[in-house]
Amino acid sequence: MIVDSALYRAGERDKTDCAPHDYASLRSGVTEEGDFVWLGLYQPSQYELDEVAEAFGLHPLAVEDALTAHQRPKLERYEGGMFLVVKTLWYVDAEDAVETGEVAFFIGPDYVITVRHGRGSRLAPARELLETSEEQLLTEGSYSAVYAVVDYIVDGYVRVMDGLTEDVDEVETSVFSNERTRDSARIYRLKRELAEVRRAVMPLREPVRRFATGEGAIDPDLRPYFRDVLDHLSSIAETVENLDTLLSSAFEAHLAQLSLQQNEDMRKISAGAAMVVVPTLIAGVYGMNFTHMPELDWTFGYPFALILMASVMAGLWIFFRKSGWF
């Protein structure tokens, strides 16, 4: 499915009369250095991608990776161009879940082709921003489109990390609250989502670094922009590690809290049992009914036994209360 296709000439989107899939006409408009075609595809079929591959001379191994998706972020060089894979992320706060998509780039001197997978990987905002606010970058050729899309995707990583940071703060507050909580499941879920972010961020740093150091036909004026993206990726990577450490500490604190709560419960149970055992002992002694027990014939023996039980229980209650067992 072709989402958008355009020819960019001299930093502007050229108005062409050809159909979106008329690749030959689009490429024929590339007449000067800096002109390029930007073709956007969304979950194309085998036939559609094969048609594009034939028109642009794409390497079959790269085409296979772009079609099947589920690739690790990477940058590969093929004859006539480069192939880049980037993971897209978005956060579903209600489920504490990080959803993933994928964008594959075919990059050549006069074209850039993006192949998207996943419902949360819309690139139209990146294209619009580049066309309206950063027109000067369009004069730098196809890598300007690569920068715009990668920068937009990395900005999405930042939004995901903001959501995860907020949830980690909530977990910390819950773990150290006085209420009894069941945070272990949520902590595990958040650590799993952080691992998803790590799988998207960590491998991407190397391809962006290669762009920032000038690999490929990247204009020197574009390299600082890729260095800025690399800086954002490094910051995100640090945040991922910090949040993971905080969650590990929170999990350990949660286990310690559970242990303390169990100890407190055992103290209360033990104190309650002691308050029951002592009166039972007194009743057991006077229930033996031996012949030579002077208290059995005493007029005040029964009230005395009751008062003794109540006094002992009251004394135990005061003792346990001062000890913090109640």
Side-chain angles (χ1 to χ4, degrees):
M1 173 182 173
I2 300 176
V3 178
D4 197 0
S5 62
L7 168 65
Y8 293 90
R9 178 183 293 121
E12 295 182 354
R13 181 170 180 147
D14 189 62
K15 296 181 179 179
T16 58
D17 297 329
C18 61
H21 60 276
D22 191 354
Y23 311 124
S25 298
L26 281 171
R27 294 193 75 181
S28 65
V30 178
T31 57
E32 298 182 6
E33 185 178 356
D35 296 353
F36 68 97
V37 173
W38 184 353
L39 176 63
L41 305 175
Y42 176 66
Q43 295 184 177
S45 65
Q46 176 79 59
Y47 172 78
E48 289 171 329
L49 197 53
D50 285 345
E51 189 178 17
V52 173
E54 183 179 357
F56 290 89
L58 306 180
H59 196 281
L61 289 177
V63 172
E64 181 182 355
D65 287 347
L67 182 65
T68 57
H70 304 295
Q71 301 295 316
R72 185 174 183 270
K74 61 182 179 179
L75 176 63
E76 295 180 346
R77 179 184 289 277
Y78 292 101
E79 184 178 354
M82 303 184 78
F83 179 67
L84 172 68
V85 176
V86 180
K87 291 285 188 182
T88 58
L89 303 176
W90 64 98
Y91 194 53
V92 183
D93 187 57
E95 302 175 5
D96 290 344
V98 176
E99 300 293 338
T100 63
E102 189 174 305
V103 179
F105 297 77
F106 297 93
I107 312 165
D110 63 343
Y111 66 85
V112 58
I113 302 167
T114 56
V115 181
R116 300 190 292 115
H117 295 272
R119 62 179 179 84
S121 55
R122 288 184 66 250
L123 303 183
R127 188 188 288 257
E128 293 170 3
L129 180 64
L130 188 62
E131 291 176 353
T132 58
S133 302
E134 299 178 341
E135 304 97 317
Q136 77 283 358
L137 290 181
L138 283 170
T139 61
E140 306 295 342
S142 57
Y143 284 94
S144 63
V146 176
Y147 158 74
V149 174
V150 173
D151 183 59
Y152 176 74
I153 292 173
V154 172
D155 286 343
Y157 294 173
V158 174
R159 291 189 293 273
V160 168
M161 293 312 301
D162 289 341
L164 285 171
T165 299
E166 184 176 341
D167 285 345
V168 170
D169 290 341
E170 291 176 1
V171 166
E172 286 187 299
T173 301
S174 177
V175 165
F176 293 103
S177 67
N178 294 325
E179 300 179 359
R180 296 200 173 193
T181 59
R182 304 183 59 153
D183 296 308
S184 55
R186 190 179 188 191
I187 291 173
Y188 173 78
R189 188 164 59 249
L190 288 173
K191 285 181 73 68
R192 184 184 61 194
E193 301 312 316
L194 280 173
E196 196 71 53
V197 176
R198 186 183 288 109
R199 284 192 291 269
V201 173
M202 300 303 184
L204 183 58
R205 291 192 294 178
E206 177 60 20
V208 175
R209 185 197 64 78
R210 289 166 63 181
F211 285 142
T213 55
E215 183 165 337
I218 300 178
D219 191 282
D221 292 338
L222 266 181
R223 296 175 191 174
Y225 292 91
F226 282 104
R227 285 199 295 269
D228 181 65
V229 175
L230 181 60
D231 182 64
H232 291 167
L233 283 172
S234 298
S235 177
I236 294 169
E238 291 176 2
T239 303
V240 168
E241 297 303 327
N242 290 338
L243 291 182
D244 189 65
T245 301
L246 286 174
L247 284 175
S248 297
S249 300
F251 184 69
E252 293 174 0
H254 177 63
L255 294 180
Q257 289 282 83
L258 289 178
S259 179
L260 289 174
Q261 290 169 359
Q262 290 173 352
N263 289 338
E264 183 179 351
D265 291 341
M266 289 303 300
R267 287 200 301 267
K268 291 180 178 180
I269 292 172
S270 300
M275 293 179 63
V276 172
V277 166
V278 173
T280 302
L281 176 63
I282 296 173
V285 169
Y286 286 103
M288 289 186 291
N289 295 323
F290 287 119
T291 302
H292 301 291
M293 293 183 69
E295 292 87 351
L296 296 179
D297 298 325
W298 186 26
T299 303
F300 301 103
Y302 178 65
F304 172 76
L306 294 179
I307 293 172
L308 178 61
M309 293 179 190
S311 300
V312 171
M313 290 181 66
L316 288 173
W317 186 86
I318 294 172
F319 173 76
F320 289 134
R321 187 74 176 179
K322 288 184 177 180
S323 300
W325 285 36
F326 277 140

